């Protein structure tokens, strides 16, 4: 597909790949991926619309959920369109600077999402362990400050990655092993000393995702301890408020851990395994998060049902008016 670029390298471009061995089926593979992208856009846009228009959802947990939806939209939009043009039109070339921008967006948005998931865990901890103080602790100004801190933290920790890549000399082939640019993938093509990249990349992951996952785990240990002290009826009700968030945490961290393990210890695995795991990490959480929250959150589910009922009523009214005009 890009054999002409194997021996020659241009410092201004990289070559992305689809799925090795399935080049003939790329056009057909793009259709389910396009469907996933459309569902991602519609699902997250619906969550944002419902939270904005429903006054009862103007609470910290749902504000964090709306930020999570924005992150998922940005993450999908920064990667999926280029991947679809690759699969449909064989547009494999990406410029060096565009690759660095995409790399920064993927890593920084993932870091911001991790911090928002931690903030949502803190919200659940306060709501269950200190319910009477929840409104006074998690105020709107504090929610705004946490969101700003998440954005700054994600940007500061991962803006050095493209800068570390930019300092490296490249003298090998310019074909990446994914359909998008990530630090580990681009770094492997360099012929200079990549020790600073390896050390800083691992440190950034541990300081952000590692610390966040540990604090989320501790939050749920404390939540579980508090829930077990409640009566059996109240116990189930309290824990049900955490189910959506717990699913979102697992949806985010399981592919992340799997991708990290494959990148570091999966050298003997087929390239297809790396590509599939990378695509799962990028594209599955954004499409599943709105589905999970829509199915598990009573207020959102009721609002969706109400919107559908109103739309059916309007359609029925239009149809009746047309029938009356005919008569």
């Amino acid at each position: 597909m890009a054999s002409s670029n194997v021996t020659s390298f241009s410092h201004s471009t990289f070559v992305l790949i689809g799925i090795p061995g399935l080049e003939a089926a790329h056009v057909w593979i793009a259709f389910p991926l396009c469907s996933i992208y459309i569902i991602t856009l519609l699902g997250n846009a619906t969550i944002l619309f419902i939270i904005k228009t429903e006054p009862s959802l103007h609470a910290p947990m749902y504000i964090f959920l709306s930020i999570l939806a924005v992150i998922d939209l940005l993450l999908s939009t920064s990667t999926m369109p280029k991947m679809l043009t690759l699969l449909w039109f064989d547009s494999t070339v990406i410029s060096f600077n565009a690759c660095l921008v995409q790399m920064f967006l993927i890593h920084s948005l993932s870091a911001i999402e991790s911090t928002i998931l931690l903030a949502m865990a803190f919200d659940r901890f306060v709501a269950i362990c200190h319910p009477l103080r929840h409104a006074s602790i998690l105020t709107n100004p504090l929610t705004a400050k946490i969101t700003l801190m998440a954005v700054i933290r994600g940007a500061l920790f991962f803006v050095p990655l493209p800068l570390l890549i930019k300092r490296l000399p490249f003298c090998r082939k310019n074909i990446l092993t994914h359909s998008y640019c990530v630090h580990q993938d681009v770094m492997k093509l360099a012929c200079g000393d990549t020790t600073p990249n390896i050390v800083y990349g691992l440190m950034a992951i541990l300081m952000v995702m590692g610390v966040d996952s540990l604090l989320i785990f501790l939050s749920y240990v404390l939540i579980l301890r508090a829930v077990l002290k409640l009566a059996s009826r109240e116990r189930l009700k309290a824990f049900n408020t955490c189910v959506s968030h717990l699913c979102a945490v697992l949806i985010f961290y399981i592919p992340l851990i799997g991708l990290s393990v494959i990148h570091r210890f999966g050298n003997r695995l087929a390239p297809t395994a790396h590509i599939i795991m990378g695509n799962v990490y990028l594209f599955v959480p954004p499409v599943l998060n709105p589905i999970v929250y829509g199915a598990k959150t009573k207020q959102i589910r009721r609002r969706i049902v109400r919107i559908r009922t109103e739309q059916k009523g309007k359609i029925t009214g239009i149809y009746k008016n047309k029938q009356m005009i005919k008569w």
Side-chain angles (χ1 to χ4, degrees):
M1 189 168 83
S3 58
S4 61
N5 293 288
V6 173
T7 56
S8 62
F9 179 81
S10 169
H11 284 85
S12 62
T13 61
F14 285 109
V15 176
L16 304 171
I17 66 167
I19 302 176
L22 296 175
E23 287 84 359
H26 276 179
V27 173
W28 303 109
I29 293 171
F31 283 104
L33 287 175
C34 184
S35 301
I36 288 172
Y37 184 48
I38 292 171
I39 293 169
T40 298
L41 295 179
L42 292 176
N44 287 287
T46 301
I47 292 291
L48 288 171
F49 174 77
I50 289 172
I51 292 173
K52 183 181 178 181
T53 56
E54 186 66 40
S56 64
L57 298 180
H58 295 173
M61 185 66 178
Y62 301 106
I63 293 172
F64 289 138
L65 176 57
S66 66
I67 296 163
L68 197 66
V70 171
I71 294 168
D72 286 340
L73 287 171
L74 292 174
L75 192 58
S76 296
T77 304
S78 66
T79 53
M80 186 66 88
K82 178 60 182 175
M83 186 173 181
L84 291 175
T85 58
L86 185 157
L87 296 174
W88 268 326
F89 309 111
D90 201 26
S91 176
T92 59
V93 177
I94 184 170
S95 70
F96 185 81
N97 289 330
C99 185
L100 294 184
V101 170
Q102 191 182 66
M103 177 197 305
F104 170 72
L105 288 174
I106 290 172
H107 291 294
S108 61
L109 288 171
S110 297
I112 296 168
E113 183 164 352
S114 176
T115 308
I116 294 300
L117 288 172
L118 173 60
M120 294 170 84
F122 176 67
D123 174 86
R124 291 300 85 201
F125 164 74
V126 175
I128 291 173
C129 298
H130 306 284
L132 299 179
R133 298 175 57 196
H134 181 260
S136 61
I137 293 175
L138 271 166
T139 59
N140 287 337
L142 180 61
T143 303
K145 288 176 183 177
I146 291 173
T147 303
L148 181 62
M149 184 202 71
V151 174
I152 294 173
R153 182 178 182 233
L156 286 180
F157 266 97
F158 288 96
V159 76
L161 293 185
L163 299 178
L164 287 170
I165 290 293
K166 204 149 189 168
R167 56 172 274 278
L168 291 172
F170 290 90
C171 54
R172 299 175 185 173
K173 61 182 181 180
N174 62 335
I175 300 178
L176 299 172
T177 57
H178 286 290
S179 306
Y180 47 84
C181 296
V182 287
H183 177 250
Q184 304 95 315
D185 200 11
V186 178
M187 178 185 67
K188 290 178 181 178
L189 298 179
C191 55
D193 182 19
T194 59
T195 302
N197 296 69
I198 295 171
V199 172
Y200 185 81
L202 182 61
M203 186 192 76
I205 291 290
L206 291 176
M207 290 295 292
V208 179
M209 282 75 161
V211 170
D212 289 350
S213 59
L214 179 62
L215 292 176
I216 290 171
F217 175 75
L218 291 176
S219 297
Y220 272 98
V221 169
L222 295 174
I223 288 170
L224 188 61
R225 191 175 69 175
V227 166
L228 291 176
K229 293 179 181 178
L230 300 173
S232 57
R233 187 177 298 177
E234 294 295 323
R235 193 181 299 170
L236 183 61
K237 184 180 177 181
F239 195 73
N240 275 340
T241 63
C242 300
V243 171
S244 299
H245 176 254
L246 193 56
C247 289
V249 169
L250 295 175
I251 289 168
F252 177 78
Y253 279 104
I254 289 176
L256 174 64
I257 293 168
L259 184 62
S260 299
V261 170
I262 283 181
H263 269 301
R264 283 165 177 79
F265 307 108
N267 294 329
R268 296 182 180 180
L269 293 175
T272 308
H274 292 254
I275 293 166
I276 291 174
M277 198 66 215
N279 290 343
V280 167
Y281 166 66
L282 272 186
F283 304 134
V284 170
V287 76
L288 287 185
N289 281 337
I291 294 173
V292 167
Y293 274 96
K296 293 293 184 181
T297 307
K298 187 184 294 184
Q299 295 93 325
I300 294 176
R301 190 168 64 247
R302 285 177 177 173
R303 180 61 172 157
I304 291 172
V305 171
R306 195 190 313 165
I307 290 172
R308 291 183 64 183
T309 304
E310 290 172 357
Q311 288 177 342
K312 286 182 180 179
K314 288 179 181 178
I315 292 171
T316 303
I318 292 170
Y319 177 76
K320 286 182 178 179
N321 288 334
K322 285 183 177 180
Q323 292 296 320
M324 290 177 66
I325 290 171
K326 286 182 180 180
W327 282 102

